[in-house]
Amino acid sequence: DQQVKQNSPSLSVQEGRISILNCDYTNSMFDYFLWYKKYPAEGPTFLISISSIKDKNEDGRFTVFLNKSAKHLSLHIVPSQPGDSAVYFCAAVGQNFVFGPGTRLSVLP
Amino acid sequence: DSGVTQTPKHLITATGQRVTLRCSPRSGDLSVYWYQQSLDQGLQFLIQYYNGEERAKGNILERFSAQQFPDLHSELNLSSLELGDSALYFCASSARTSGGYNEQFFGPGTRLTVL
């Protein structure tokens, strides 16, 4: 039973355009959400987070939106750059950290 | 560099064997988490320790065990290894227990191959 879902295994975007990565969760007890980026042969690195009391958090080119009623969050990257090509994991925090399966983003030059 | 170190980087062993993976958290971090990432799968939470004590358990098999030592480093022991145990094993550390709002810092992982 996947508590955190990322239904798109992969996404391709042209450089300079917007990348939108989606994440859905089922447990309403999650109260904090994070996005991690992972390059091959490296561990995941923290990107951005959002508390459940907010609906938006922005950090430079990265913005995370949270829709609690829909149990949905998304990560927007604008403008997308080739260096953003990586696997992106959504994570939710309640009793534990629960990670989604990841979405592989490819930014094409 | 996250400040979390894991050894060894690669490990190749045979079915039925036992291995130990080691993790040193970031300086000052009291929580250590272990995750398994199988081929093309997400990160599966295995177990968490906080200041030497087990704090949370995830999808960890009975053949697997872990501990955190007084110097806060942690070891994950995998025994009676099966082919399906081949995976990347990540360790992460954070300044608080799970539920706190601190992100986890991940080590580079140990790639285990069971032949």
Side-chain angles (χ1 to χ4, degrees), chain A residues 35 48-50 55-57 62-66 73-75:
Chain A
W35 283 94
I48 192 169
S49 63
I50 188 167
D55 55 17
K56 178 182 174 182
N57 187 26
F62 303 92
T63 303
V64 56
F65 295 92
L66 175 62
L73 64 154
S74 60
L75 174 68

Side-chain angles (χ1 to χ4, degrees), chain B residues 7 29 32 42 52 60 77 91-92 94:
Chain B
T7 56
D29 282 357
V32 170
I60 188 166
N77 302 296
C91 166
S94 73

Side-chain angles (χ1 to χ4, degrees), chain B residues 19-75:
Chain B
V19 297
T20 297
L21 312 183
R22 183 188 167 105
C23 168
S24 293
R26 287 188 324 155
S27 176
D29 282 357
L30 299 179
S31 276
V32 170
Y33 307 77
W34 285 98
Y35 292 88
Q36 179 192 57
Q37 185 183 22
S38 301
L39 189 64
D40 291 335
Q41 298 290 313
L43 293 162
Q44 298 294 319
F45 169 68
L46 296 178
I47 197 165
Q48 180 213 350
Y49 278 81
Y50 176 76
N51 203 20
E53 293 190 4
E54 182 183 306
R55 184 57 60 102
K57 225 169 185 175
N59 300 321
I60 188 166
L61 300 172
E62 285 191 12
R63 300 183 285 109
F64 296 0
S65 64
Q67 54 185 325
Q68 186 179 27
F69 295 88
D71 66 353
L72 300 176
H73 91 271
S74 177
E75 292 181 355

Side-chain angles (χ1 to χ4, degrees), chain A residues 23-25 66-73:
Chain A
C23 177
D24 297 286
Y25 61 96
L66 175 62
N67 182 334
K68 276 191 72 177
S69 60
K71 294 192 180 69
H72 176 83
L73 64 154

